[in-house]
Amino acid sequence: MARRYFGTDGIRGLANGDKLTPELALKVGMAAGTKFVRGDHRNRVVIGKDTRRSGYMIEQALTAGFTAVGMDVYLLGPMPTPAVAMLTRSLRADLGVMISASHNPFDDNGIKLFRPDGYKLSDELELEIEALIDSDMTKHLARGRDIGRAHRDEEARTRYIEYAKRTLPRNIDLTGLRVVLDCANGAAYKVAPVALWELGAEVFTIGGEPDGFNINHKVGSTAPEAVAAKVKEVRADIGIALDGDADRVIIIDEKGNVVDGDQFMAVIAESWLERQMLVGGGIVATIMSNLGLERHLTGLGLTLERTQVGDRYVLEAMRAKGFNVGGEQSGHIILSDFTTTGDGLVAALQLLSVLKQRDRPISEICARFEKVPQLLRSVKFKSGKPLEHQQVIQAIADGQAMLGKGGRLVVRASGTEPVIRVMGEADDAALVETVVGQVESAIRQVA
């Protein structure tokens, strides 16, 4: 069935644009609340948000919708997405909501929903909520004493900080480490610096002064140049760049070089294997992860289970096949011993513990394998379905044939913005450049 509102990661779009309006947020609150009102207790929902100006508007509309169908609302304020998932479980809430458009520009926003166990909703549940949104909700309205109320939870930040700190091995603290932390002017700007400082690190924070409009602007995991420059300026041991809702993380080594999610996962996999913590005999990653990671894991006797792009699909495979480490090259790192979604701070703490234990530069620790030449291009399109055009289909087939069995070509439409991603990889860098260029050109001609 076609999905009208939900995409690959909740509902996302331009705030007050064609899709994401206060009216829709109100209906989402009523519809999602109706699905999760259960039992004879006071049903509760927790709502967190990032720092976008439109978050105020959406938060109030959602609150009106949830209270209208009888749910009590606990407002967390600015809070990372993984914190909302954790607090949904910790507070025994019936539903969790995160208002964020992650790494998108400030004028976008989104709504993510979490089940009582802290996991994102299934496709089936989202479709059921969509059906309710488009229906007459009058019969579901609460009356009199059954109408919900809203609370501001002032202790939520402390709860999450303590939770994150406890994921560090007991015999490890961060004393002596100089850490540059980029909060992307986003949801983690209050909690992440405090957690690192309380663990003993000397913290240099950038991207920690949100104004409602500067989230992800020239800072954060999608703009690592800022944290790289700061690392070199203060001679830090490591740089940590979160995205707007802090569910992804990119690492910068002491030389100012970017460490992507593939190298990050390799470090965690090896560390957890040594500590007999790794479950499933390998890790889960997406079709975008570098072939070098797969070869490296094979050399360790481990497997790489690939999924389609999206952290929800990584998590689904982890749960279905019994893995406890997974993630994406873009920096979504899921450690299911601790979290039910990607958590940039918790993942960074695991890497910091390895840094402390091995007492070697992070550039050495994170050089786990040699990458196979890989090239990723993004092609914007205005409308239509370029990937269904015969010219593009033929270009993709020709490209795959040129790369042969030793290479990979992945062409897909983004689930969050109107672009086509073209990724190619093989041991021959020049061949990769040629193949990706030809496919990119074919798409541009029809887009």
Side-chain angles (χ1 to χ4, degrees), residues 77-116:
M79 192 70 64
T81 289
V84 173
M86 183 277 292
L87 289 162
T88 301
R89 303 192 311 275
S90 176
L91 294 170
R92 293 186 66 185
D94 300 281
L95 186 64
V97 182
M98 179 63 184
I99 304 167
S100 175
S102 189
H103 59 281
N104 285 26
F106 84 90
D107 45 358
D108 285 345
N109 217 324
I111 301 171
K112 304 179 187 181
L113 302 176
F114 294 94
R115 300 178 337 208

Side-chain angles (χ1 to χ4, degrees), residues 311-322:
D311 60 316
R312 66 183 297 174
Y313 303 112
V314 171
L315 184 56
E316 286 174 3
M318 290 172 65
R319 298 183 71 195
K321 301 184 179 182

Side-chain angles (χ1 to χ4, degrees), residues 40 90 151 163 190 195 215 240 244 248 259 285 341 354 378 392 411:
D40 56 3
S90 176
H151 314 255
Y163 153 81
K190 289 186 177 181
I215 187 171
I240 300 169
R248 72 166 70 180
V259 177
T341 185
V354 176
S378 297
V392 175
V411 184

Side-chain angles (χ1 to χ4, degrees), residues 24 46 50 57 153 176 190 221 235 247 283 335 341 344 419:
L24 177 63
V46 298
D50 64 24
M57 172 184 75
D153 191 333
K190 289 186 177 181
S221 62
R235 298 183 180 180
D247 67 348
I283 69 173
L335 308 175
T341 185
V419 298

Side-chain angles (χ1 to χ4, degrees), residues 202-392:
E202 184 179 2
V203 184
F204 302 86
T205 302
I206 64 174
E209 298 180 351
D211 60 11
F213 310 110
N214 60 1
I215 187 171
N216 301 315
H217 182 62
K218 298 182 179 180
V219 287
S221 62
T222 54
E225 301 81 10
V227 67
K230 192 68 175 180
V231 164
K232 290 188 283 188
E233 176 191 335
V234 302
R235 298 183 180 180
D237 298 297
I238 189 173
I240 300 169
L242 304 172
D243 71 337
D245 67 336
D247 67 348
R248 72 166 70 180
V249 59
I250 291 294
I251 297 300
I252 308 297
D253 68 23
E254 79 283 358
K255 300 176 183 178
N257 298 316
V258 173
V259 177
D260 68 15
D262 285 346
Q263 296 283 5
F264 198 135
M265 287 187 285
V267 174
I268 300 301
E270 287 188 49
S271 173
W272 283 25
L273 182 64
E274 292 170 2
R275 295 164 59 192
Q276 297 184 325
M277 288 178 60
L278 190 67
V279 177
I283 69 173
V284 179
T286 76
I287 54 176
M288 303 301 286
S289 280
N290 194 274
L291 190 57
L293 172 62
E294 186 171 352
R295 293 173 177 174
H296 175 69
L297 292 173
T298 299
L300 297 173
L302 301 175
T303 60
L304 177 63
E305 182 80 18
R306 290 189 185 268
T307 73
Q308 61 181 299
V309 173
D311 60 316
R312 66 183 297 174
Y313 303 112
V314 171
L315 184 56
E316 286 174 3
M318 290 172 65
R319 298 183 71 195
K321 301 184 179 182
F323 294 88
N324 65 345
V325 175
E328 295 188 279
Q329 189 182 66
S330 60
H332 282 118
I333 309 296
I334 303 174
L335 308 175
S336 61
D337 284 6
F338 306 126
T339 67
T340 57
T341 185
D343 190 321
L345 176 59
V346 167
L349 289 175
Q350 291 301 304
L351 185 60
L352 289 169
S353 72
V354 176
L355 179 59
K356 286 288 291 187
Q357 289 169 323
R358 296 186 180 176
D359 194 27
R360 292 163 47 203
I362 198 68
S363 59
E364 294 182 18
I365 290 172
C366 290
R368 306 319 307 151
F369 62 88
E370 183 176 349
K371 291 184 178 182
V372 172
Q374 185 182 83
L375 182 61
L376 175 64
R377 298 265 175 82
S378 297
V379 185
K380 290 186 178 181
F381 65 97
K382 295 181 180 179
S383 61
K385 298 180 179 180
L387 295 184
E388 296 181 7
H389 198 284
Q390 185 58 42
Q391 181 177 340
V392 175

Side-chain angles (χ1 to χ4, degrees), residues 127-148:
L127 285 170
E128 290 175 18
I129 290 171
E130 286 201 352
L132 281 170
I133 290 171
D134 291 331
S135 70
D136 181 3
M137 295 289 296
T138 305
K139 63 182 179 181
H140 299 290
L141 295 177
R143 301 289 193 278
R145 294 180 183 274
D146 291 333
I147 295 173

